[in-house]
Amino acid sequence: MNGHCLSWETLTLRLRHPFRLAHGVSETRQSFWIRLHDDSGWGEGTIPPYYGVDSSRMIECWDRAACLTLPFPENIDEIPHWLPEGPAPARAALEMALIDRIAKRRGMPLHQLLGIPAATNLTTSFTIAIDTPDNMARMATAMSDYPILKLKLGSDDDESRVAAVRQARPNVKIRVDANAGWAFDQAVTHLQWLGKYDIELIEQPLASDQIQAMGELQGRTSIPIVADESVQTIDDIDQLARAEIRGVNLKLMKAGGIIAAHRMLNHAREVGIKVMLGSMIETSLGTTAMAHLAGAADWIDLDAPLLISNDPFGGIQYDRNARVSIPNRPGIGVMKKEGAS
């Protein structure tokens, strides 16, 4: 679809392996590529089905934006006034494109525009989806150069999965992510064995609205609990801080864009909560945009481009040990790959 000031198109992202979470299994995910007039700025919008955001509502937001007669913002603080109402991922995509344009016009990388140091020597975790213990161990072995693995849990026999991966990779850092798939009593039981496997952190063990219960879990373990689905606003961070949750996973598509994610990152630091930067299943466009905040983060989980087979963009780079680097080009710094459809 096209408007006088922007256009967008649908991207079907093919996953390298079926992606099983507590919510179900996917082999593809849908994303949208947003382009301002004359390709002056690019953005990406996507959200997993289990968030309940209909893509038609996102398109309605972009329809309204395409009909705006206001000039594009020239400063970051003008962007919120320009954006139409709409779902968080739709606004995130538009904001990403507008900030990309501003940074390009000023000839500086996005992180410099935001006043954030460039990330150096940061390593992302690599995600292994729910599967049989043997298959998860096999995947962990195949990723032998990657020093941090995130294991998706939330199904039956989770301990066997973790035990199999730990046996296959004795020295790897393991993060576990239940994607809100455990009940409280299950999580209490899981805490009894998780401590045996040298777990770095536990992500979103309970449903998103069970913040106090997650705080009770945190009081029972020294392993940091990191909220994901529970954190979408600064107010959520305050609730998590009161519950003494030790970490949050920030994502552009939940927060509604780079500006909100940056504010949330700073606020989390102020209230003593550690920050992980994550992404949905996104291309290198959205992932690179988030990576520009990595210089101010504690952990990163920015492996989405490694999980898809048809990424049309080039931007964020990974070395053989999953250390990330971002392009030193104006704006987000992402380019279309030669020959990409």
Side-chain angles (χ1 to χ4, degrees):
M1 296 291 293
N2 295 276
H4 75 279
C5 63
L6 63 91
S7 63
W8 60 93
E9 62 182 87
T10 305
L11 305 174
T12 298
L13 308 181
R14 295 191 297 271
L15 298 166
R16 294 185 184 277
H17 307 280
F19 204 66
R20 292 181 179 87
L21 309 178
H23 304 284
V25 60
S26 303
E27 294 187 359
T28 63
R29 287 284 178 85
Q30 186 181 69
S31 185
F32 293 91
W33 177 23
I34 308 300
R35 304 165 69 178
L36 301 185
H37 178 66
D38 289 338
D39 276 329
S40 58
W42 288 358
E44 180 175 8
T46 184
I47 196 78
Y50 56 83
Y51 275 83
V53 178
D54 194 303
S55 60
S56 65
R57 292 178 55 214
M58 295 169 63
I59 291 171
E60 287 170 4
C61 176
W62 299 327
D63 277 336
R64 289 193 295 274
C67 294
L68 292 175
T69 57
L70 295 172
F72 290 138
E74 297 297 335
N75 297 288
I76 289 180
D77 57 7
E78 298 173 2
I79 291 176
H81 306 290
W82 191 95
L83 293 174
E85 290 298 317
R91 290 168 59 85
L94 287 173
E95 185 200 88
M96 192 185 304
L98 293 168
I99 290 179
D100 185 37
R101 175 182 178 274
I102 292 171
K104 285 176 177 174
R105 287 170 69 84
R106 297 188 184 183
M108 59 178 63
L110 177 57
H111 67 84
Q112 185 178 344
L113 179 70
L114 298 172
I116 296 173
T120 57
N121 204 34
L122 285 178
T123 301
T124 183
S125 52
F126 179 82
T127 304
I128 298 180
I130 296 173
D131 207 327
T132 65
D134 285 348
N135 284 343
M136 292 179 76
R138 208 169 285 122
M139 176 70 79
T141 301
M143 301 295 127
S144 61
D145 289 329
Y146 290 178
I148 310 171
L149 298 177
K150 182 161 88 166
L151 309 185
K152 294 291 188 177
L153 303 179
S155 184
D156 295 335
D157 207 18
D158 279 341
E159 182 177 4
S160 294
R161 293 179 169 90
V162 175
V165 170
R166 174 54 75 206
Q167 183 175 10
R169 297 284 309 279
N171 298 318
V172 76
K173 286 185 179 180
I174 294 178
R175 303 169 180 172
V176 300
D177 181 6
N179 281 112
W182 292 337
F184 181 79
D185 289 345
Q186 281 181 304
V188 170
T189 299
H190 293 332
L191 288 181
Q192 296 172 12
W193 56 260
L194 280 165
K196 299 189 301 184
Y197 297 104
D198 190 21
I199 303 302
E200 185 182 21
L201 58 84
I202 303 167
E203 191 173 337
Q204 197 65 44
L206 306 179
S208 60
D209 60 349
Q210 295 185 24
I211 291 175
Q212 290 304 316
M214 282 203 297
E216 185 174 339
L217 286 179
Q218 183 67 88
R220 296 176 180 227
T221 181
S222 62
I223 304 170
I225 289 178
V226 177
D228 179 0
E229 285 85 352
S230 293
V231 55
Q232 301 184 34
T233 67
I234 283 181
D235 288 344
D236 293 334
I237 291 176
D238 286 332
Q239 290 187 56
L240 292 160
R242 288 192 291 270
E244 299 185 343
I245 302 299
R246 291 171 60 185
V248 291
N249 186 350
L250 303 182
K251 298 176 180 176
L252 298 182
M253 300 302 147
K254 292 186 305 177
I258 296 165
I259 296 171
H262 190 199
R263 288 173 179 163
M264 291 168 72
L265 189 159
N266 289 335
H267 189 67
R269 291 299 193 115
E270 290 170 1
V271 298
I273 292 180
K274 288 189 172 184
V275 174
M276 172 187 285
L277 298 186
S279 66
M280 306 302 181
I281 299 295
E282 300 170 18
T283 70
S284 287
L285 177 52
T287 309
T288 306
M290 186 49 128
H292 279 275
L293 303 184
D298 298 287
W299 307 291
I300 60 170
D301 179 35
L302 297 175
D303 63 340
L306 299 175
L307 304 177
I308 60 177
S309 63
N310 62 330
D311 187 352
F313 303 110
I316 188 171
Q317 295 290 314
Y318 308 87
D319 72 8
R320 61 176 294 173
N321 301 119
R323 284 189 296 263
V324 302
S325 59
I326 54 176
N328 187 28
R329 293 191 288 265
I332 297 171
V334 167
M335 302 176 69
K336 190 81 179 292
K337 287 180 180 176
E338 186 174 348
S341 57

